[in-house]
Amino acid sequence: MKLFTLARASEIHNISIENLTQLLEQKLVPHIQKRAISAKVNYYIPSAFIDYAKKILNTNDLKNQTLKIENFYNKNGTKIITFSNLKGGVGKTSIASNFAYTLALLNKRVLLVDMDSQANTSRYFANQYFTSNSIKNIFDSLMRKEKIDKELIHKYIKKIKFENASLDLLPSELALGRVVEFSRAVFTMPHKKLNDILKYIKDDYDFIIIDTPPSTGLSLHMAIYASDIMSIVTDAEDFSVNGLKELSSEIEEIEEETDRSITVDSIFINKVKNSKLHEIYIEAIAKLAIERNINNVFTISDGMRVKEAQSLHIPMLEYKSELDKGLVLSSSIIEYAIEKALEG
Ligand SMILES: Nc1ncnc2c1ncn2[C@@H]1O[C@H](COP(=O)(O)OP(=O)(O)OP(=O)(O)O)[C@@H](O)[C@H]1O
Ligand SMILES: [Mg+2]
């Protein structure tokens, strides 16, 4: 995937810089803005975003486009997507968060839900701790049989504003794990409880993206029960292929237990290195994906930029002014986000 400056995009797509600027300002073409030291705003446009604009505008010719579109809300309602794997440290949080951000950049209304009591997603995007001020409090209210409504849930949702896009975050905290497990003793069907919570606010979003902990347990079951789609994040290491088989059996068990069928539509193989060994594992994972009718297998290279962006609390697509290098890492995330945005 290529990243164009405004001048280059105008040249390649045969459209004047003025017209292209208008399209960017009207948010018809998603883009990344960076303010230079001179305070001048520079625009950067990934090639895939130009294709996306053409698709949503139903045209091959951006040259004559001046129409204003009010929004890009999903026509088919809210889609809920969970990122998971029982294995830890594979990149669930990095990918879920950056995927949510990319959807927001595509002008979708996005809620990112942190169901992991490690609260890494919350810290990545909000850079703070949410003690007694998180989704855990909503579970507390549910267990106390207090009245739950849209307003109560929105009290715990944080607005996260980045340079080029904004999204909402329902954060987590350390005590979440304990509260979720305790809910087993209180509810007859505890796995439905996240779904019950999200029902109240679903209409406010085009996408709800859920990050999950690296273990089987009620948090994962709740997330899966609430979701339309599941995406698996893995690395290309020794136990990953077996781990994926275990996850598949776990999913089957959850399907039985919760009486809900789950669509796994993608696998992200993360932290890929240029090595023969990784090639072998990728092939094995791709084979497994075909056997299970999983249509998308994406790879993401191992690179310091993912780590750096996360530790600086910046989405990858906004990280560093030398954007062309940083962007390569998230091209699979962009592709998957565009696919989902167009389906919406
Ligand atoms: N493609 C990548 N290249 C290099 N580092 C990466 C990459 N993806 C993720 N990381 C780093 O690996 C670490 C683990 O990533 P992350 O927190 O996203 O994994 P996780 O699966 O959510 O972990 P956990 O199971 O603990 O929730 C982080 O430091 C992250 O910045
Ligand atoms: Mg995580």
Side-chain angles (χ1 to χ4, degrees):
M1 182 161 341
K2 289 204 174 70
L3 185 70
F4 299 135
T5 59
L6 197 57
R8 190 80 184 113
S10 119
E11 193 183 304
I12 286 172
H13 290 274
N14 185 24
I15 166 174
S16 71
I17 290 189
E18 292 72 30
N19 196 352
L20 187 55
T21 311
Q22 265 178 14
L23 291 170
L24 299 181
E25 281 166 359
Q26 288 174 26
K27 298 200 162 187
L28 291 169
V29 175
H31 57 279
I32 299 150
Q33 288 184 28
K34 281 277 159 190
R35 221 165 277 279
I37 299 165
S38 63
K40 183 175 167 270
V41 174
N42 293 319
Y43 295 99
Y44 299 88
I45 311 154
S47 53
F49 285 178
I50 298 183
D51 294 339
Y52 172 72
K54 286 178 181 167
K55 279 187 190 139
I56 52 167
L57 293 169
N58 233 336
T59 178
N60 267 325
D61 175 23
L62 287 176
K63 199 163 37 181
N64 301 315
Q65 292 297 324
T66 48
L67 86 158
K68 182 152 183 134
I69 290 191
E70 290 307 323
N71 63 58
F72 299 102
Y73 295 170
N74 283 359
K75 289 172 206 72
N76 304 319
T78 315
K79 276 258 158 64
I80 305 189
I81 308 178
T82 281
F83 286 82
S84 75
N85 196 337
L86 307 180
K87 193 171 177 196
V90 289
K92 296 177 290 296
T93 296
S94 314
I95 293 172
S97 306
N98 282 289
F99 174 70
Y101 170 83
T102 310
L103 285 170
L105 199 58
L106 299 172
N107 293 316
K108 296 291 186 181
R109 300 166 301 164
V110 181
L111 173 68
L112 181 58
V113 178
D114 194 350
M115 277 300 282
D116 184 0
S117 56
Q118 294 182 94
N120 290 339
T121 291
S122 312
R123 275 201 295 284
Y124 179 7
F125 273 5
N127 191 14
Q128 68 178 93
Y129 289 87
F130 293 93
T131 313
S132 269
N133 190 15
S134 76
I135 190 166
K136 178 223 129 198
N137 297 62
I138 306 172
F139 281 107
D140 277 340
S141 293
L142 266 183
M143 285 196 285
R144 282 194 232 109
K145 307 250 180 315
E146 288 166 9
K147 186 175 171 281
I148 305 281
D149 57 16
K150 207 184 183 64
E151 205 181 318
L152 177 113
I153 296 165
H154 274 291
K155 229 174 77 183
Y156 296 102
I157 290 179
K158 319 292 163 199
K159 304 258 168 232
I160 310 289
K161 275 196 170 48
F162 293 108
E163 204 172 325
N164 294 305
S166 308
L167 52 79
D168 284 3
L169 167 75
L170 185 49
S172 169
E173 63 178 290
L174 191 61
L176 176 70
R178 186 170 33 84
V179 170
V180 163
E181 284 308 320
F182 187 64
S183 74
R184 268 187 209 284
V186 179
F187 303 117
T188 42
M189 293 209 245
H191 60 270
K192 292 192 173 176
K193 293 302 157 187
L194 177 63
N195 188 60
D196 289 351
I197 292 171
L198 297 180
K199 249 183 347 212
Y200 291 101
I201 49 162
K202 226 176 149 175
D203 290 351
D204 300 331
Y205 300 99
D206 296 304
F207 287 94
I208 299 180
I209 309 304
I210 309 175
D211 185 25
T212 55
S215 57
T216 173
L218 197 46
S219 294
L220 179 65
H221 289 214
M222 282 182 177
I224 290 179
Y225 184 82
S227 298
D228 302 298
I229 296 165
M230 197 171 138
S231 178
I232 296 172
V233 180
T234 182
D235 51 13
E237 295 302 332
D238 214 2
F239 299 114
S240 301
V241 183
N242 280 337
L244 286 181
K245 287 182 185 152
E246 276 165 24
L247 181 61
S248 293
S249 335
E250 176 78 17
I251 291 169
E252 277 164 24
E253 253 174 59
I254 297 174
E255 283 182 312
E256 250 171 58
E257 191 185 309
T258 61
D259 198 19
R260 199 171 190 332
S261 77
I262 298 154
T263 309
V264 180
D265 84 339
S266 51
I267 299 182
F268 281 87
I269 311 171
N270 191 23
K271 303 191 184 186
V272 171
K273 292 197 176 92
N274 206 350
S275 78
K276 190 72 204 157
L277 195 61
H278 274 195
E279 238 174 67
I280 293 168
Y281 289 132
I282 289 169
E283 224 167 86
I285 293 169
K287 199 166 147 248
L288 204 69
I290 293 168
E291 279 166 24
R292 319 249 149 156
N293 287 325
I294 301 172
N295 296 327
N296 296 303
V297 178
F298 298 108
T299 56
I300 299 180
S301 317
D302 185 75
M304 274 314 283
R305 272 168 189 268
V306 183
K307 242 185 204 337
E308 285 165 19
Q310 199 161 349
S311 57
L312 293 168
H313 310 283
I314 305 171
M316 279 193 254
L317 273 173
E318 290 201 1
Y319 180 55
K320 270 246 164 104
S321 51
E322 273 175 65
L323 280 158
D324 49 329
K325 285 185 207 136
L327 201 69
V328 176
L329 288 170
S330 56
S331 61
S332 327
I333 299 176
I334 292 176
E335 270 172 47
Y336 186 51
I338 288 180
E339 184 189 307
K340 292 295 127 194
L342 290 171
E343 279 173 18

